[in-house]
Amino acid sequence: MFKVVVLGSGNVAHHLISVFKSTEGIDLVQVYARHPEALAKLLPGEKITSKISDLAMADLYIIAVSDGAINEIIPHLPFTERLVAHTSGSMPLQKDNGQRNGVFYPLQTFSKNKTIDFKSAPICLEAENEQDFVILKQLADAVSDNVYQIDSVQRRALHVAAVFCNNFTNHLYTVGSEICKENKIPFDILKPLIQETTDKIMYLSPLQAQTGPAIRGDETTINAHLDFLKDDTMKSIYELLTQSIQKAHVTELQRIDEQHYHIYF
Amino acid sequence: MFKVVVLGSGNVAHHLISVFKSTEGIDLVQVYARHPEALAKLLPGEKITSKISDLAMADLYIIAVSDGAINEIIPHLPFTERLVAHTSGSMPLQKDNGQRNGVFYPLQTFSKNKTIDFKSAPICLEAENEQDFVILKQLADAVSDNVYQIDSVQRRALHVAAVFCNNFTNHLYTVGSEICKENKIPFDILKPLIQETTDKIMYLSPLQAQTGPAIRGDETTINAHLDFLKDDTMKSIYELLTQSIQKAHVTELQRIDEQHYHIYF
């Protein structure tokens, strides 16, 4: 049995605890939480500790706490030379702290009240040494079908890309729902379109999937939309993203031209 | 049988022709296209005309052409007082042109090479008079489960909202894929996250679903991301959308406060 201890009680910790509990071959021996009551529904009391000095023996300690708290917890671990992996997209691999460091970063958006299909959640791994990478991979493969080796620089890039693809797209849905609300239109009308937008990029590159007035260079519609928008922030977002779409496609056309150049001349 | 003529041969026309052909109770009597060869695979030659003077008799003429071409076609129709509906999200209901005007606007993103589930595509209807609205609704109900009455002002709003929820979100996927490419990360890693982002707002409002450094007020991560982004346009998008997320949530908190005020005082 693969013995794991999870440290933390937030969204990521919750989802990890649930999936570890239900996966064969994994023994979730203990969870450390400053506020154990947050985990009462998930685990029997004897598996939870709020004393870091009481941490049990395990093959792997997963630090699933906020970015700022990672460096506060690690120095208090009552052991050295064990495999300790954090789950953060933005923190680099830890070094020179007396442990064997790793990263176990599940790239998914977690909400406490919604179970996710962990099998499809990508898990990005990194370790200070090769043997520990193999250990992390063994655990990751047990819970997910999408396991990647991603170094700290790539993970930073991935986290930024995830902000664009998740946080920012979700905010554009908020803007869309706000426009609907102001005009007494049910936001539900837009949901099939939103679904189809996502479905499309599962088999087309987003650059190929681009449609709308910006890419068509349809200045009449663009101006009518800008005229319609009364909120300054919405107007700025509309202008900036329209310019950015047009710029991305000019760049892409240049790239294609250069390829032709290389092929034919 | 409900007799329909479609005018146009672009993406929307293609999808309408396909769904009308396969729907019981609808007789697609004719399609008008300036370039009939574009429709050769969809329809037998005798159903296609490139002469507007040859238009057949029908209950409804659907003008599925680009916005700019709508006003070029309508004056050449060889009849008056018939029900003529355009399919545009941005054009108002036509008036005073000798026809009975309507709008039949399917709010979906259409690609020529992908069939869509028309039953779930919302169709937004408007008509100059009540009887014609009933006719449009009869046709729309035959092909879709999501039929809405939407006036010209609402349709303009909806089109702007659709640009935010479809065109702009798709562009953010392009930005994400660009960041991945530069860092040798497969864009596929982000797809489960993108899928989950969309799934979430099917049962949560996007305002409630918001996560990430902007909404957490996590300035350390925000600054690290801005520092990471070298492209000026990407940096501007990051800054503007971060501010907009923070502003939207302050506004929402004020709104909740005001509600409490009204309830308790």
Side-chain angles (χ1 to χ4, degrees):
Chain A
M1 287 287 268
F2 191 104
K3 289 183 189 300
V4 189
V5 168
V6 170
L7 296 92
S9 58
N11 277 345
V12 176
H14 258 82
H15 284 272
L16 289 177
I17 292 167
S18 299
V19 73
F20 291 158
K21 267 173 49 184
S22 62
T23 304
E24 222 171 302
I26 296 179
D27 179 14
L28 179 65
V29 291
Q30 195 183 39
V31 174
Y32 161 80
R34 269 183 301 183
H35 306 290
E37 59 281 8
L39 301 171
K41 283 186 191 160
L42 269 178
L43 284 169
E46 66 271 19
K47 288 224 169 189
I48 312 174
T49 180
S50 59
K51 284 172 104 177
I52 199 150
S53 56
D54 284 351
L55 283 185
M57 186 69 201
D59 300 304
L60 170 64
Y61 297 80
I62 296 190
I63 318 270
V65 301
S66 65
D67 290 359
I70 294 173
N71 285 321
E72 288 171 26
I73 281 193
I74 294 181
H76 298 290
L77 295 174
F79 49 73
T80 57
E81 293 298 323
R82 296 197 197 159
L83 180 53
V84 174
H86 74 64
T87 58
S88 166
S90 16
M91 297 294 283
L93 181 68
Q94 304 299 293
K95 292 215 161 131
D96 305 322
N97 56 12
Q99 309 296 347
R100 290 150 37 216
N101 292 289
V103 179
F104 186 96
Y105 169 46
L107 180 60
Q108 188 48 283
T109 171
F110 296 101
S111 310
K112 242 174 203 150
N113 300 321
K114 182 172 187 284
T115 55
I116 64 146
D117 170 19
F118 223 97
K119 276 279 161 202
S120 70
I123 298 183
C124 303
L125 303 179
E126 186 179 8
E128 279 188 292
N129 66 66
E130 191 60 37
Q131 300 96 300
D132 287 336
F133 183 82
V134 173
I135 297 176
L136 289 176
K137 188 157 177 359
Q138 190 189 340
L139 179 72
D141 283 339
V143 295
S144 166
D145 293 332
N146 292 308
V147 178
Y148 296 87
Q149 182 164 19
I150 293 289
D151 68 28
S152 291
V153 176
Q154 287 176 314
R155 196 170 55 256
R156 161 72 49 93
L158 204 46
H159 195 238
V160 176
V163 167
F164 279 89
C165 291
N166 165 275
N167 301 168
F168 290 168
T169 56
N170 183 75
H171 181 59
L172 294 182
Y173 302 147
T174 301
V175 172
S177 73
E178 200 56 46
I179 295 171
C180 285
K181 196 195 282 177
E182 279 164 19
N183 290 278
K184 301 189 170 48
I185 303 163
F187 181 56
D188 280 351
I189 299 193
L190 286 166
K191 289 183 176 173
L193 177 70
I194 289 172
Q195 196 66 63
E196 179 68 15
T197 308
T198 309
D199 289 354
K200 253 190 190 177
I201 63 147
M202 298 300 147
Y203 65 97
L204 276 182
S205 81
L207 201 71
Q208 293 171 309
Q210 189 65 52
T211 57
I215 181 86
R216 285 200 309 273
D218 176 352
E219 294 297 326
T220 312
T221 301
I222 293 169
N223 290 331
H225 286 181
L226 286 171
D227 193 53
F228 172 87
L229 290 166
K230 300 303 169 213
D231 179 280
D232 284 342
T233 307
M234 288 186 192
K235 219 189 258 284
S236 304
I237 295 172
Y238 192 103
E239 280 172 336
L240 182 58
L241 290 175
T242 294
Q243 284 162 19
S244 182
I245 289 172
Q246 293 176 343
K247 192 181 131 195
H249 287 265
V250 169
T251 311
E252 180 61 14
L253 289 176
Q254 277 169 351
R255 193 181 293 164
I256 293 169
D257 265 5
E258 281 162 20
Q259 282 172 355
H260 282 186
Y261 183 83
H262 289 303
I263 294 168
Y264 296 118
F265 298 101
Chain B
M1 288 285 266
F2 193 104
K3 289 182 188 302
V4 189
V5 167
V6 170
L7 295 92
S9 60
N11 278 346
V12 176
H14 258 81
H15 284 272
L16 289 177
I17 292 167
S18 299
V19 72
F20 291 158
K21 266 172 53 186
S22 62
T23 304
E24 221 172 303
I26 297 179
D27 179 13
L28 179 64
V29 291
Q30 195 183 39
V31 174
Y32 163 79
R34 269 183 300 182
H35 306 291
E37 60 281 7
L39 301 171
K41 281 187 191 158
L42 269 179
L43 284 170
E46 67 270 20
K47 286 221 169 190
I48 312 173
T49 181
S50 59
K51 285 172 102 176
I52 199 152
S53 55
D54 284 351
L55 283 184
M57 188 67 203
D59 300 305
L60 169 64
Y61 297 80
I62 296 191
I63 318 269
V65 299
S66 64
D67 290 0
I70 294 173
N71 284 320
E72 287 170 27
I73 282 194
I74 294 180
H76 294 104
L77 295 174
F79 50 72
T80 56
E81 293 298 323
R82 295 196 198 160
L83 179 54
V84 174
H86 73 66
T87 58
S88 164
S90 15
M91 298 293 283
L93 180 67
Q94 305 297 294
K95 292 216 162 127
D96 304 322
N97 56 11
Q99 309 297 346
R100 289 150 37 215
N101 292 287
V103 178
F104 186 96
Y105 169 45
L107 181 59
Q108 187 50 282
T109 170
F110 296 101
S111 311
K112 239 172 206 156
N113 300 320
K114 183 172 188 282
T115 54
I116 63 147
D117 172 17
F118 223 98
K119 276 280 162 203
S120 70
I123 298 183
C124 305
L125 304 179
E126 186 179 10
E128 279 188 291
N129 66 65
E130 191 60 38
Q131 299 97 299
D132 288 334
F133 183 83
V134 173
I135 296 176
L136 290 175
K137 189 159 177 353
Q138 189 190 340
L139 178 71
D141 284 339
V143 295
S144 166
D145 292 333
N146 292 308
V147 178
Y148 296 89
Q149 182 163 19
I150 293 289
D151 67 30
S152 292
V153 176
Q154 287 177 314
R155 196 170 55 257
R156 161 71 49 93
L158 203 47
H159 194 239
V160 177
V163 167
F164 279 90
C165 291
N166 165 276
N167 302 168
F168 290 168
T169 55
N170 183 74
H171 181 60
L172 295 181
Y173 302 146
T174 301
V175 173
S177 72
E178 201 55 44
I179 294 171
C180 285
K181 195 196 281 176
E182 279 163 20
N183 291 277
K184 301 189 172 49
I185 304 162
F187 181 56
D188 280 352
I189 300 193
L190 285 166
K191 290 184 178 174
L193 177 70
I194 288 171
Q195 198 66 65
E196 179 68 15
T197 308
T198 309
D199 288 354
K200 251 189 193 179
I201 62 147
M202 297 299 147
Y203 65 95
L204 277 180
S205 82
L207 201 72
Q208 291 171 311
Q210 188 66 51
T211 57
I215 181 89
R216 285 200 309 273
D218 177 351
E219 294 296 327
T220 312
T221 301
I222 292 168
N223 290 332
H225 286 181
L226 286 171
D227 194 49
F228 172 87
L229 291 167
K230 300 302 169 214
D231 180 279
D232 284 343
T233 307
M234 288 187 192
K235 218 188 258 282
S236 304
I237 295 173
Y238 193 104
E239 281 173 335
L240 182 58
L241 290 176
T242 295
Q243 286 162 18
S244 183
I245 289 172
Q246 294 176 340
K247 192 181 129 192
H249 288 266
V250 168
T251 311
E252 181 61 15
L253 290 176
Q254 278 170 349
R255 194 181 292 163
I256 293 168
D257 266 7
E258 280 163 20
Q259 282 173 355
H260 283 186
Y261 182 85
H262 288 304
I263 295 169
Y264 296 117
F265 299 100

